[in-house]
Amino acid sequence: MQDKKIIDDFFDNNTNQELVFDVKKDSTLTVALNIKAKNNQKIYNIIFNHKENSSVFIKVNCLTFIKGEIVVNITNNVPKNTPHCCVSQKIIGVLTTKNSSIKATPIMNVYNNQVNAEHEVNVGYLNKEEIFYLMSKGVKKSKATKILIDNLFAI
């Protein structure tokens, strides 16, 4: 069984959410979480509890503006009696000002050696040289920035 969830949080209010997913035996769950923080705080604690032969693929895209703050904690729990699981965690963050922040923590509680697990966290600023290059081809700065952000956040 395959299940896909896409969660978008582009609102200007503060967020503090805990999302818990119980991943069933012989199933695959794909989650995409897109978060934008502009002068506010977004906190997400995401927990996956695995059963035998389950797979989780999660990608979190974070974008901060002005004094935005994003905190993302992803936990995958793979107990001893759950072989043949697959876990992939990817967190991408773009800071647009020095006053914004992104804190990302990938946590894997794996108690079985028959698991394929990987995680990746990339947080930083857009490359000014890439923006300059697009502008040299006639693209306006705002459009160049949007192109680069859309490229980073492609699912």
Side-chain angles (χ1 to χ4, degrees), residues 45-61:
N45 293 301
I46 308 162
I47 301 167
F48 297 95
N49 298 311
H50 287 263
K51 298 290 186 203
E52 182 179 350
N53 199 33
S54 62
S55 298
V56 167
F57 303 94
I58 179 164
K59 183 175 181 194
V60 180
N61 300 314

Side-chain angles (χ1 to χ4, degrees), residues 134 138-150:
L134 289 171
V139 178
K140 292 183 179 179
K141 185 176 182 180
S142 59
K143 180 69 174 173
T145 300
K146 183 178 180 340
I147 290 169
L148 293 174
I149 290 171
D150 288 349

